[in-house]
Amino acid sequence: MIRLVGTLSNTWEPRDRECVLSFDEMKICKMMEYDQATDEVVGPYNYLQVVGENWGVHNPIEPYFKYPKTVKNVYIVPHAPHLLKLLRNWFIDHGFLYKGQVIKADLLFDLVAKRDQAELTPLHKLTRNHLIMTSHEKQNVLRAAQVLSRTTALSLRQYYPENDEASKLADFTEVVDLWFSISNLYTPVAKLDYKKSFTGNTRR
């Protein structure tokens, strides 16, 4: 198979020879199944290893795979809390290019310092422990949600009203907060409407 791919790729353009392999872990329903092909019972397993490949720039990774028995598409929905942690980690370590401007975590470090000096502050949840973490602490979803929250955005606008970078960072943070609220719904009785899970009610 590898030789075949090598032979075929010799006729491709250099950019089409690039191959990206993606590996991720997906939580599945823990159950046992009978595999007719191998005549054995498989499982129970809690997790599934998902492998994706992307050849060239014109063939994006498809977010699904074929279920062998029914040949129907099984769609892979990214885990929102995991994506939020990765987003927070990259933001703190490297920053982002957002609407033509680089936004970094430097303002958040300064914001935490201002918070410590103030007697009253809207930023009562954010501390240096949210920004400087061990590898184990980076797995904490709650901390990631508190960093990229609407409260952080409001505080940035309050403390830096004339700072364009702070304004961009506040906009970015609010977008992330709204996305996470919609993507991580778990209860129909949340205080905010956009954080309520879908129940099929016609009024929703």
Side-chain angles (χ1 to χ4, degrees), residues 113-128:
K114 290 182 182 296
R115 167 202 180 278
D116 294 337
Q117 297 169 5
E119 185 173 344
L120 295 175
T121 174
L123 198 68
H124 57 278
K125 294 181 179 179
L126 203 62
T127 66
R128 286 183 62 85

Side-chain angles (χ1 to χ4, degrees), residues 17-201:
R17 297 176 190 171
E18 296 182 3
C19 178
V20 177
L21 293 178
S22 302
F23 298 86
D24 201 359
E25 197 173 55
M26 182 171 65
K27 188 171 180 61
I28 58 177
C29 180
K30 186 176 182 180
M31 59 185 299
M32 300 176 67
E33 290 190 359
Y34 173 67
D35 187 350
Q36 294 182 345
T38 59
D39 189 29
E40 64 179 357
V41 176
V42 180
Y45 299 112
N46 286 324
Y47 296 92
L48 171 71
Q49 189 73 25
V50 180
V51 182
E53 63 175 300
N54 180 18
W55 284 95
V57 296
H58 302 296
N59 181 25
I61 298 175
E62 296 176 337
Y64 61 84
F65 58 90
K66 297 288 185 182
Y67 185 64
K69 190 170 184 178
T70 62
V71 199
K72 290 184 177 180
N73 294 339
V74 177
Y75 288 88
I76 303 170
V77 180
H79 189 228
H82 185 63
L83 291 180
L84 183 70
K85 289 185 294 183
L86 293 176
L87 190 67
R88 183 273 319 274
N89 294 344
W90 189 269
F91 168 64
I92 292 178
D93 294 340
H94 306 285
F96 287 103
L97 180 63
Y98 182 70
K99 293 186 177 180
Q101 184 170 349
V102 176
I103 53 175
K104 295 184 177 181
D106 297 350
L107 278 174
L108 293 187
F109 282 95
D110 188 57
L111 189 64
V112 169
K114 290 182 182 296
R115 167 202 180 278
D116 294 337
Q117 297 169 5
E119 185 173 344
L120 295 175
T121 174
L123 198 68
H124 57 278
K125 294 181 179 179
L126 203 62
T127 66
R128 286 183 62 85
N129 292 333
H130 287 76
L131 306 175
I132 302 176
M133 297 164 289
T134 64
S135 298
H136 178 71
E137 290 172 336
K138 287 183 178 180
Q139 302 304 314
N140 190 307
V141 178
L142 178 59
R143 286 191 184 182
Q146 289 173 339
V147 170
L148 300 172
S149 66
R150 185 170 180 270
T151 302
T152 300
L154 293 174
S155 299
L156 284 166
R157 293 194 177 99
Q158 176 177 326
Y159 283 104
Y160 309 97
E162 306 298 329
N163 189 313
D164 187 54
E165 182 183 349
S167 178
K168 289 283 198 314
L169 178 54
D171 293 343
F172 171 78
T173 303
E174 278 190 327
V175 169
V176 173
D177 177 70
L178 182 59
W179 160 79
F180 185 65
S181 296
I182 295 173
S183 304
N184 195 44
L185 303 174
Y186 62 91
T187 173
V189 293
K191 293 182 180 180
L192 299 176
D193 287 338
Y194 64 85
K195 291 192 175 185
K196 293 179 180 178
S197 59
F198 182 72
T199 60
N201 191 315

